[in-house]
Amino acid sequence: MAINVNTVYTTVLSILNKEQRGYLTPDEFNKLATQVQLEIFEKFFEDYNQYIRMPKTDVEYASRMDHIYEEFQVFDETAPSSSTVTNTDGTISYLQPVENSTINTSPVHRLGSVHYSGTPGSPQIELMGKKEYYLQTKSPLLQPDLNFPIGVYSLDRVTVFPNLTLPPADIKNAVTFNYIRKPKNVRWGFTVGNLGQYIYDNTSYSPSSLALGTTLSPSITVGTTGVGNTYNLTQAAVAAANTFQYNPIIPNASGAGAEISVLITPTGSTGITLTGTNTVITITKVGNNYNVGDQFIIAPVSIGANQTFSVTLTAANLMNTTGQGSLQFEISESQQTSVVLNILKYAGIIINDTTIVQAASGLGTQIDQNTKK
């Protein structure tokens, strides 16, 4: 089970505050926690390499090699190539998976194996250098085939020989990558209380989720403007007088799950007119997969309005512009002591207290030495 981010943050604050050593803001903690998790994660591979060369034991729970493998196997993933490129010599290069196509980031942190999944049995592609690849493709005796394919891995892509004859829509799925991904950044999410205090928010963070409690009132418009995706809202259970909750059950795009609350102060007698002054529209459920410019369309029939109205999402309505939403540590609970000590070590540097750095470093070194005996 992963380490709870709130447990670590409150532990670190308790240790720092006990001797009035200082305070870590959520933003400082998130940066330190992400760095510490990555350091421990990278150390798994160094330890694994060392334990492979040490005497092994088959005693249950005592195998260090098995323990380390359990630590990083949760990051083991398999995905097809993101796209293909046909080279001038007719070979096809398969680009490794992409996590975010907008900024072209890849989840591949350590490449494991590559498979030719377009053929029966999904044989593994033997990766080699360009020189060996050239010599083998020119040799009449060592010609690769679909059962024993070869490839060159360079510039985040694999050039494979021989080529597969597949429809264009299927060709990029012909090669799959097995890899270790990097842990996601740690995030201690929060809302701000009435006294200005930080309150832990255990909602799962997603940059495309809506920010709970933010208002949409200033963006009320008559009709629809046609900007972004549109979501027709239908009235759900009424929570209080003059309050109407709407649930987007008829989406025509990817977003889903959000709800808004519409609090109207009626004016006039010929039908309600929604304005930024007489209407408060608040996000009550965060949903997911929304974008700036998306619209929620409010039909007039259920609220007695005289026209169809819409509200448009702005950057302030998305979770990634606020402190809301949390992401837990992805490494296991067995590493919690190391996480706390290493965060304290960095915290001592931030608050300029060398005694914290020395104490945390000493305890961390002692734990590391004990595990290597």
Side-chain angles (χ1 to χ4, degrees):
M1 184 179 293
I3 307 171
N4 183 276
V5 64
N6 188 49
T7 300
V8 174
Y9 188 35
T10 53
T11 301
V12 169
L13 289 184
S14 297
I15 296 173
L16 291 178
N17 294 339
K18 181 178 183 296
E19 303 294 337
Q20 296 183 345
R21 298 287 189 177
Y23 180 78
L24 277 182
T25 66
D27 183 63
E28 291 172 338
F29 171 79
N30 291 341
K31 288 182 171 64
L32 296 186
T34 297
Q35 174 64 23
V36 166
Q37 177 174 241
L38 186 58
E39 287 181 359
I40 295 175
F41 172 74
E42 291 293 348
K43 189 171 177 291
F44 288 157
F45 301 98
E46 300 301 325
D47 290 344
Y48 190 63
N49 182 52
Q50 180 179 2
Y51 293 151
I52 287 176
R53 294 178 279 113
M54 293 173 63
K56 300 177 178 60
T57 177
D58 293 329
V59 178
E60 192 174 17
Y61 307 125
S63 174
R64 291 174 173 175
M65 190 171 67
D66 290 345
H67 173 69
I68 289 295
Y69 179 75
E70 290 173 0
E71 294 285 355
F72 64 77
Q73 57 86 23
V74 296
F75 303 97
D76 191 327
E77 295 189 356
T78 300
S81 62
S82 57
S83 60
T84 60
V85 175
T86 302
N87 304 308
T88 55
D89 61 356
T91 58
I92 299 177
S93 294
Y94 297 82
L95 279 67
Q96 66 185 19
V98 172
E99 188 175 41
N100 188 325
S101 57
T102 303
I103 56 178
N104 197 32
T105 57
S106 173
V108 179
H109 186 63
R110 287 176 179 257
L111 181 66
S113 58
V114 185
H115 293 262
Y116 223 169
S117 56
T119 63
S122 299
Q124 181 175 336
I125 299 172
E126 182 182 355
L127 300 180
M128 56 184 61
K130 291 183 178 180
K131 181 179 179 180
E132 292 81 3
Y133 176 85
Y134 177 80
L135 292 174
Q136 187 163 339
T137 54
K138 298 302 179 182
S139 170
L141 297 178
L142 299 176
Q143 282 292 305
D145 56 32
L146 295 179
N147 293 318
F148 300 96
I150 63 173
V152 174
Y153 184 65
S154 177
L155 300 176
D156 297 334
R157 64 185 64 182
V158 175
T159 303
V160 182
F161 190 87
N163 288 339
L164 272 177
T165 304
L166 290 172
D170 299 330
I171 191 67
K172 77 179 185 70
N173 296 322
V175 169
T176 55
F177 292 75
N178 179 250
Y179 59 91
I180 295 290
R181 65 170 177 85
K182 188 175 75 171
K184 296 178 181 177
N185 292 348
V186 178
R187 181 182 173 98
W188 187 85
F190 64 90
T191 56
V192 180
N194 295 331
L195 301 178
Q197 76 276 25
Y198 295 126
I199 302 174
Y200 175 58
D201 176 22
N202 63 358
T203 305
S204 181
Y205 170 76
S206 170
S208 63
S209 291
L210 303 185
L212 193 67
T214 58
T215 179
L216 295 164
S217 303
S219 62
I220 295 175
T221 56
V222 176
T224 60
T225 62
V227 177
N229 300 316
T230 57
Y231 298 85
N232 297 316
L233 309 190
T234 58
Q235 188 174 356
V238 177
N242 295 330
T243 299
F244 300 85
Q245 291 179 319
Y246 287 84
N247 181 26
I249 62 172
I250 317 175
N252 63 354
S254 59
E259 287 187 5
I260 64 174
S261 175
V262 184
L263 177 60
I264 307 169
T265 303
T267 57
S269 58
T270 59
I272 296 173
T273 299
L274 277 65
T275 68
T277 56
N278 77 340
T279 309
V280 178
I281 301 179
T282 307
I283 296 169
T284 56
K285 286 189 178 180
V286 298
N288 201 4
N289 293 329
Y290 293 99
N291 299 289
V292 172
D294 288 355
Q295 290 184 323
F296 290 164
I297 301 172
I298 304 172
V301 61
S302 58
I303 61 175
N306 50 20
Q307 296 184 50
T308 296
F309 294 88
S310 65
V311 288
T312 304
L313 297 180
T314 65
N317 300 127
L318 295 180
M319 190 177 283
N320 65 343
T321 61
T322 70
Q324 295 182 20
S326 296
L327 287 176
Q328 309 301 325
F329 288 88
E330 292 195 285
I331 54 180
S332 73
E333 287 181 327
S334 64
Q335 302 297 324
Q336 183 168 324
T337 301
S338 297
V339 167
V340 172
L341 289 176
N342 281 284
I343 291 177
L344 285 172
K345 180 177 65 177
Y346 284 115
I349 297 174
I350 289 178
I351 64 179
N352 195 24
D353 193 326
T354 57
T355 59
I356 295 177
V357 179
Q358 293 169 355
S361 298
L363 287 172
T365 301
Q366 182 179 351
I367 292 173
D368 189 50
Q369 289 175 345
N370 290 336
T371 60
K372 298 295 177 65
K373 289 181 179 179

